[in-house]
Amino acid sequence: MPTLLLLMIVGAAGFFLFTAARAAAERAAEIGRDACQAAGVQWLDQSVHATGMRLRRREDGWLGIERTFRFEYSEDGHDRHVGRVVLLGDRLVGFSGPSRAAQAVVRDFPLH
Protein backbone atom coordinates (compact mmCIF):
# COMPACT_ATOMS: atom_id res chain seq x y z
CA MET A 1 0.00 0.00 0.00
CA PRO A 2 2.74 2.58 0.75
CA THR A 3 4.30 1.83 -2.65
CA LEU A 4 1.07 2.75 -4.42
CA LEU A 5 0.78 5.97 -2.43
CA LEU A 6 4.36 6.89 -3.24
CA LEU A 7 3.77 6.15 -6.91
CA MET A 8 0.68 8.39 -6.92
CA ILE A 9 2.59 11.25 -5.27
CA VAL A 10 5.46 10.96 -7.77
CA GLY A 11 2.97 10.82 -10.66
CA ALA A 12 1.13 13.92 -9.44
CA ALA A 13 4.41 15.83 -8.97
CA GLY A 14 5.50 14.85 -12.48
CA PHE A 15 2.18 15.98 -13.92
CA PHE A 16 2.40 19.40 -12.24
CA LEU A 17 6.02 19.89 -13.35
CA PHE A 18 5.05 19.01 -16.92
CA THR A 19 2.10 21.40 -17.01
CA ALA A 20 4.21 24.21 -15.50
CA ALA A 21 6.89 23.63 -18.14
CA ARG A 22 4.31 23.73 -20.94
CA ALA A 23 2.79 26.94 -19.57
CA ALA A 24 6.24 28.55 -19.43
CA ALA A 25 6.98 27.47 -23.01
CA GLU A 26 3.69 28.95 -24.21
CA ARG A 27 4.44 32.22 -22.39
CA ALA A 28 7.95 32.34 -23.92
CA ALA A 29 6.48 31.69 -27.38
CA GLU A 30 4.01 34.54 -26.88
CA ILE A 31 6.80 36.91 -25.86
CA GLY A 32 9.05 35.87 -28.78
CA ARG A 33 6.24 36.13 -31.33
CA ASP A 34 5.13 39.55 -30.05
CA ALA A 35 8.73 40.82 -30.00
CA CYS A 36 9.31 39.75 -33.60
CA GLN A 37 6.05 41.35 -34.67
CA ALA A 38 6.95 44.60 -32.87
CA ALA A 39 10.38 44.66 -34.55
CA GLY A 40 9.01 43.83 -38.00
CA VAL A 41 11.07 40.65 -38.36
CA GLN A 42 10.03 37.11 -39.20
CA TRP A 43 9.67 34.65 -36.31
CA LEU A 44 11.13 31.37 -37.59
CA ASP A 45 9.84 27.86 -36.85
CA GLN A 46 6.95 29.28 -34.76
CA SER A 47 8.41 27.70 -31.64
CA VAL A 48 10.75 28.16 -28.71
CA HIS A 49 13.26 25.65 -27.41
CA ALA A 50 14.09 25.15 -23.75
CA THR A 51 17.82 25.56 -23.20
CA GLY A 52 18.14 25.76 -19.44
CA MET A 53 16.45 25.42 -16.10
CA ARG A 54 17.69 26.28 -12.61
CA LEU A 55 16.48 27.14 -9.14
CA ARG A 56 16.54 30.83 -8.29
CA ARG A 57 15.13 33.02 -5.52
CA ARG A 58 12.08 35.05 -6.42
CA GLU A 59 11.47 38.54 -5.08
CA ASP A 60 9.34 37.14 -2.24
CA GLY A 61 12.24 34.99 -1.00
CA TRP A 62 10.84 31.62 -2.12
CA LEU A 63 12.66 29.38 -4.57
CA GLY A 64 11.35 29.36 -8.10
CA ILE A 65 12.29 27.70 -11.36
CA GLU A 66 14.03 29.91 -13.90
CA ARG A 67 13.63 28.63 -17.45
CA THR A 68 15.58 29.83 -20.48
CA PHE A 69 14.18 29.49 -23.99
CA ARG A 70 15.64 30.34 -27.36
CA PHE A 71 13.88 31.28 -30.57
CA GLU A 72 15.08 32.19 -34.04
CA TYR A 73 14.15 35.14 -36.20
CA SER A 74 15.12 36.54 -39.58
CA GLU A 75 15.42 40.14 -40.66
CA ASP A 76 15.29 39.58 -44.41
CA GLY A 77 14.31 35.92 -44.84
CA HIS A 78 17.86 34.83 -45.72
CA ASP A 79 19.53 34.99 -42.33
CA ARG A 80 18.89 33.43 -38.93
CA HIS A 81 19.43 35.09 -35.57
CA VAL A 82 18.92 33.66 -32.10
CA GLY A 83 16.83 35.36 -29.43
CA ARG A 84 16.51 34.40 -25.78
CA VAL A 85 13.68 34.62 -23.25
CA VAL A 86 14.28 34.00 -19.53
CA LEU A 87 11.27 33.40 -17.27
CA LEU A 88 11.16 33.05 -13.49
CA GLY A 89 7.83 31.35 -12.99
CA ASP A 90 5.66 33.26 -15.45
CA ARG A 91 7.55 36.54 -15.01
CA LEU A 92 9.93 37.83 -17.69
CA VAL A 93 13.39 38.43 -16.20
CA GLY A 94 15.55 38.50 -19.31
CA PHE A 95 15.23 39.05 -23.05
CA SER A 96 17.56 39.32 -26.00
CA GLY A 97 16.38 39.39 -29.55
CA PRO A 98 15.55 41.80 -32.34
CA SER A 99 17.07 45.11 -31.28
CA ARG A 100 14.01 47.12 -32.23
CA ALA A 101 11.79 44.86 -30.12
CA ALA A 102 13.65 45.15 -26.83
CA GLN A 103 11.91 48.36 -25.85
CA ALA A 104 8.49 46.98 -26.84
CA VAL A 105 9.02 43.78 -24.86
CA VAL A 106 10.05 45.64 -21.73
CA ARG A 107 7.09 48.00 -22.11
CA ASP A 108 4.49 45.24 -22.76
CA PHE A 109 5.85 42.72 -20.27
CA PRO A 110 6.96 44.65 -17.18
CA LEU A 111 9.78 43.08 -15.20
CA HIS A 112 8.10 43.61 -11.79
Side-chain angles (χ1 to χ4, degrees):
M1 197 62 163
T3 305
L4 181 59
L5 182 62
L6 215 61
L7 186 60
M8 289 174 58
I9 291 171
V10 169
F15 174 76
F16 287 118
L17 284 174
F18 175 76
T19 57
R22 287 303 321 141
E26 290 173 11
R27 174 86 167 125
E30 175 188 351
I31 292 169
R33 180 177 48 251
D34 291 348
C36 289
Q37 185 177 14
V41 298
Q42 182 180 6
W43 186 43
L44 301 176
D45 304 328
Q46 286 74 42
S47 64
V48 295
H49 307 280
T51 59
M53 183 172 71
R54 69 181 184 150
L55 288 176
R56 185 171 166 200
R57 289 227 181 261
R58 301 185 312 206
E59 288 180 355
D60 60 5
W62 290 88
L63 285 177
I65 298 176
E66 181 183 86
R67 292 180 172 91
T68 304
F69 298 92
R70 75 173 184 82
F71 63 96
E72 295 183 349
Y73 62 94
S74 175
E75 293 177 352
D76 60 5
H78 297 287
D79 57 354
R80 290 179 91 87
H81 302 281
V82 176
R84 187 174 68 104
V85 174
V86 181
L87 298 173
L88 180 57
D90 64 345
R91 192 172 70 92
L92 178 66
V93 294
F95 175 81
S96 66
S99 59
R100 292 175 288 182
Q103 295 85 11
V105 167
V106 171
R107 185 175 51 250
D108 291 343
F109 300 99
L111 297 175
H112 56 277

